């Protein structure tokens, strides 16, 4: 067996370096907590594909959402803040309001929604909890939302995990939707 020493004798330990560096660069990246974007998007869109009853109010099925990295980033930052503070609130210390959080992430917000939760262990649990809450359920089912981002972070407090879901639509998306649905305009 020939051993390649051009990069030094510890080349095997270098194989773990990228993931170790990623963990240092992204301290919130908890493989056991944060679902993959594809998994989160599929789960949220599966809920939206079926009519729901939110607090006794029937809600029609809603169009599928698109994953948005800016919304995922703003959700990540807010989940980290909530975990650091050990509180469950929609008011942030850094960016006090949801629109301010989304703008800080670079998202051109026209319409926005935020669902937060603490303690739920996995994506299925948090989605079930949001569906059982009238306001959270209504947020999930709003047909005007077109983009979504979700984050989970370990809490290290009395809450094991903090979940943040950001929903949004940009002015351009809203304008395009209005043009498509206007009967006196042709494409």
């Amino acid at each position: 067996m020939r051993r390649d020493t051009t990069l030094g004798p510890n080349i095997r330990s270098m194989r773990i370096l990228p993931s170790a560096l990623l963990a240092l660069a992204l301290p919130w990246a908890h493989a056991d907590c944060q679902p993959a974007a594809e998994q989160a998007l599929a789960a949220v869109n599966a809920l939206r594909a079926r009519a729901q009853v939110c607090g006794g109010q029937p809600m029609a099925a809603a169009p599928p959402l698109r994953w948005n990295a800016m919304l995922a980033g703003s959700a990540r930052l807010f989940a980290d803040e909530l975990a650091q503070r050990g509180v469950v609130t929609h008011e942030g210390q850094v960016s006090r309001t949801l629109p301010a959080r989304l703008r800080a992430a670079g998202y051109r917000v026209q319409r926005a929604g935020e669902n937060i939760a603490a303690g739920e262990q996995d994506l299925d649990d948090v989605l079930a909890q949001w569906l059982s809450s009238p306001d959270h359920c209504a947020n999930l089912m709003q047909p005007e939302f077109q983009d979504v981002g979700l984050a989970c972070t370990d809490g290290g407090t009395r809450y094991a995990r903090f979940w943040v879901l950001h929903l949004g639509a940009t002015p351009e998306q809203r304008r395009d939707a209005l043009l498509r649905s206007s009967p006196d305009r042709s494409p």
Side-chain angles (χ1 to χ4, degrees):
M1 176 168 145
R2 185 172 175 267
R3 185 169 150 178
D4 185 352
T5 58
T6 57
L7 295 176
N10 295 323
I11 190 68
R12 274 183 250 147
S13 64
M14 294 294 288
R15 289 184 192 136
I16 64 165
L17 187 60
S19 60
L21 287 175
L22 181 62
L24 289 173
L26 305 172
W28 59 81
H30 304 290
D32 60 329
C33 178
Q34 177 66 43
E38 299 81 19
Q39 177 192 8
L41 181 63
V44 170
N45 281 336
L47 292 177
R48 287 173 60 90
R50 297 184 312 267
Q52 303 287 342
V53 177
C54 301
Q57 179 72 27
M59 302 285 291
L65 300 168
R66 296 178 301 212
W67 188 260
N68 183 282
M70 289 178 277
L71 293 182
S74 66
R76 164 65 49 220
L77 290 174
F78 197 49
D80 288 345
E81 178 186 324
L82 294 175
Q84 183 179 28
R85 292 169 56 199
V87 299
V88 181
T89 178
H90 288 282
E91 187 174 310
Q93 284 185 324
V94 177
S95 295
R96 287 206 167 294
T97 66
L98 175 59
R101 286 191 281 283
L102 300 187
R103 283 192 297 272
Y107 189 80
R108 288 181 33 87
V109 62
Q110 171 71 34
R111 184 172 176 89
E114 175 177 77
N115 286 1
I116 60 174
E120 286 73 14
Q121 288 302 302
D122 61 33
L123 181 60
D124 291 337
D125 289 345
V126 78
L127 290 175
Q129 190 275 330
W130 285 334
L131 278 179
S132 70
S133 163
D135 291 338
H136 292 104
C137 179
N139 256 355
L140 283 169
M141 298 305 294
Q142 285 300 315
E144 294 85 4
F145 291 137
Q146 297 183 6
D147 297 321
V148 66
L150 177 130
C152 176
T153 193
D154 289 326
T157 64
R158 63 186 171 137
Y159 302 111
R161 296 190 168 150
F162 288 81
W163 297 85
V164 176
L165 178 82
H166 281 169
L167 301 148
T170 65
E172 296 82 10
Q173 291 169 334
R174 184 155 166 74
R175 182 193 69 237
D176 291 347
L178 289 173
L179 288 175
R180 281 193 306 273
S181 66
S182 178
D184 56 336
R185 296 210 186 248
S186 59

